[in-house]
Amino acid sequence: MLSTQHRPQQTDENRQLHQFLFWAVLTAVGAVVVYTVGWFLTASPSLLLLTIGSIVLLILELYARWLNAHHATTAAVYLFCAAVALFAIVNVLAVPDFLPVLLLGPVIILIVVQPYLSRKALQIISAAMVGLAITLTSLGVYVQLYTPLPPTIRNPILIALVTLTTIVLLVLIWQNDQRIMTVLQQREASNRELQAIRERLEEEVAERTRDLQQALAQLETQVAEQRQMRLALEQQREVIRSLSVPVLPVSHATLVMPLVGALDEQRMTMVKQQALTAIQAMQARTFIIDVTGVPVIDHTIAGELVGIMRAIRLMGTKVVLAGIRPEVAESLVAAQIDLDRVQSFATLQDALQRAITDGQPI
């Protein structure tokens, strides 16, 4: 017993061809019946030829249907076309009066093969059908093998032939209509699916746009907050810098700048700016720089300090250096800094005491 579990699934085109071949087999059976009855009634050799031709047509169509059932669709289409062409040639040789009806044979073939063959194959079949039409016309006009049938026999057979041909054409038209409707339904379904996908995409784009706008607004808010924080931080730094280099008025003509902590080039620049600004504002005649709170004065800082004292002297103000500890003195000597023109004291108290004792600015 053969198993059918692995049989390939039939396609829509395969099923439609199988259905059409069913009706084609029925029309072939009708042709066999009509021609056989006519041959029994008249014993005409032309009707005998038509009977044999219709039997051959029936056998070939049954075989084509078997091929299609076994998924050899292309072979089934070619076999059906060959069977119809052969049947048309046999008919026109037997009864040339059937030529007008038989010229529908190439049309039927072209309609049948259209959904199943490639464009190149269709071009070849179309050229072959033109040749078949010319062949049928030539045989019907120039070849007469048998005595013409009497009208009492020929006309009923012609009517039956027209009826069978009409049935085949109606089946083809109905199948083409079904095929077109199927394609339209598939396209409508695809359009609906595409529309649904488009709507989903639009919703996703709108949602992501809203998310991006919200994120952008949050980012702008954060940037504004950070900008305000930076401004506040800069202001705080300025305050801290101002406090790190304070200028204290001791009298109307004497100013003191106590320096605390490590000194660097940036801070020394502020010291210079603060000192010169305060001297100009207070019209001070003596400016005391107290380095008691400075842990280390290296060669670079000593050079900056000397530059500040020179700038102060250029403004006409006497500069005094207080808080010279032994280690600071050693650093200044090691750095070869010349402080001969600068009055210095060990402590700020000594410098202030000297000012009080003199009763005037130092």
Side-chain angles (χ1 to χ4, degrees):
M1 183 176 180
L2 296 177
S3 173
T4 59
Q5 293 180 354
H6 301 288
R7 180 176 297 176
Q9 187 177 2
Q10 285 188 337
T11 62
D12 291 337
E13 293 182 352
N14 188 274
R15 285 192 293 269
Q16 288 180 352
L17 180 60
H18 206 65
Q19 187 180 31
F20 169 74
L21 289 175
F22 170 77
W23 289 100
V25 168
L26 290 182
T27 57
V29 171
V32 170
V33 172
V34 170
Y35 291 149
T36 301
V37 171
W39 176 62
F40 275 116
L41 293 177
T42 63
S44 171
S46 60
L47 290 178
L48 177 60
L49 179 60
L50 290 177
T51 301
I52 295 173
S54 59
I55 292 174
V56 173
L57 174 66
L58 176 60
I59 293 173
L60 293 178
E61 286 181 348
L62 287 172
Y63 184 54
R65 198 165 188 268
W66 180 86
L67 289 175
N68 184 65
H70 289 77
H71 304 279
T73 302
T74 304
V77 169
Y78 281 125
L79 182 60
F80 173 78
C81 296
V84 172
L86 179 62
F87 181 71
I89 292 173
V90 170
N91 273 264
V92 78
L93 288 175
V95 185
D97 294 335
F98 292 168
L99 176 62
V101 179
L102 296 175
L103 287 177
L104 293 175
V107 178
I108 293 174
I109 291 174
L110 287 176
I111 296 175
V112 170
V113 302
Q114 186 176 5
Y116 306 103
L117 301 181
S118 64
R119 179 173 297 182
K120 185 176 181 180
L122 284 175
Q123 292 175 352
I124 296 174
I125 292 294
S126 299
M129 291 305 101
V130 172
L132 177 61
I134 295 173
T135 301
L136 292 175
T137 303
S138 301
L139 292 176
V141 172
Y142 296 110
V143 177
Q144 184 72 47
L145 298 180
Y146 303 104
T147 302
L149 294 175
T152 54
I153 299 297
R154 184 189 61 207
N155 291 339
I157 294 177
L158 182 59
I159 292 173
L161 184 61
V162 171
T163 301
L164 296 175
T165 305
T166 303
I167 291 173
V168 173
L169 287 174
L170 289 176
V171 171
L172 287 174
I173 293 173
W174 175 75
Q175 283 194 338
N176 284 335
D177 181 70
Q178 291 294 319
R179 189 178 295 112
I180 292 173
M181 291 299 297
T182 301
V183 171
L184 289 177
Q185 291 174 357
Q186 291 175 350
R187 288 187 177 180
E188 290 178 356
S190 298
N191 289 336
R192 287 194 297 270
E193 184 178 358
L194 290 175
Q195 183 64 25
I197 293 174
R198 179 181 177 182
E199 292 176 355
R200 289 197 300 270
L201 288 176
E202 289 178 351
E203 292 177 357
E204 291 179 0
V205 169
E207 183 178 358
R208 292 184 179 180
T209 301
R210 289 193 298 269
D211 294 340
L212 289 175
Q213 289 176 348
Q214 293 177 358
L216 181 60
Q218 293 177 357
L219 183 59
E220 290 177 349
T221 303
Q222 293 177 357
V223 170
E225 292 177 353
Q226 290 177 357
R227 187 181 297 112
Q228 293 178 355
M229 292 176 62
R230 283 198 299 269
L231 291 175
L233 184 60
E234 288 297 330
Q235 293 174 357
Q236 292 176 359
R237 287 178 178 174
E238 291 296 329
V239 172
I240 293 172
R241 288 172 183 172
S242 299
L243 294 176
S244 65
V245 285
V247 178
L248 306 177
V250 176
S251 66
H252 66 280
T254 303
L255 299 177
V256 176
M257 176 181 283
L259 299 179
V260 179
L263 298 177
D264 54 17
E265 293 183 3
Q266 183 178 4
R267 193 176 177 194
M268 292 303 294
T269 301
M270 289 193 62
V271 169
K272 183 177 181 179
Q273 293 175 353
Q274 289 284 90
L276 298 180
T277 302
I279 291 170
Q280 183 179 7
M282 300 291 294
Q283 295 297 316
R285 297 178 60 188
T286 303
F287 193 86
I288 303 173
I289 300 176
D290 181 20
V291 295
T292 304
V294 178
V296 177
I297 297 179
D298 58 13
H299 182 274
T300 302
I301 299 303
E304 293 287 338
L305 192 59
V306 171
I308 293 171
M309 290 187 290
R310 287 175 180 172
I312 292 172
R313 285 201 303 271
L314 287 176
M315 293 185 69
T317 302
K318 183 180 292 186
V319 60
V320 177
L321 187 62
I324 302 297
R325 303 186 307 277
E327 59 271 20
V328 173
E330 291 178 0
S331 299
L332 294 175
V333 172
Q336 296 181 355
I337 300 300
D338 184 13
L339 296 178
D340 291 340
R341 300 179 60 185
V342 178
Q343 193 170 7
S344 61
F345 294 90
T347 64
L348 177 61
Q349 184 179 0
D350 294 340
L352 294 175
Q353 186 65 38
R354 177 65 179 273
I356 294 171
T357 301
D358 291 346
Q360 59 180 5
I362 299 174

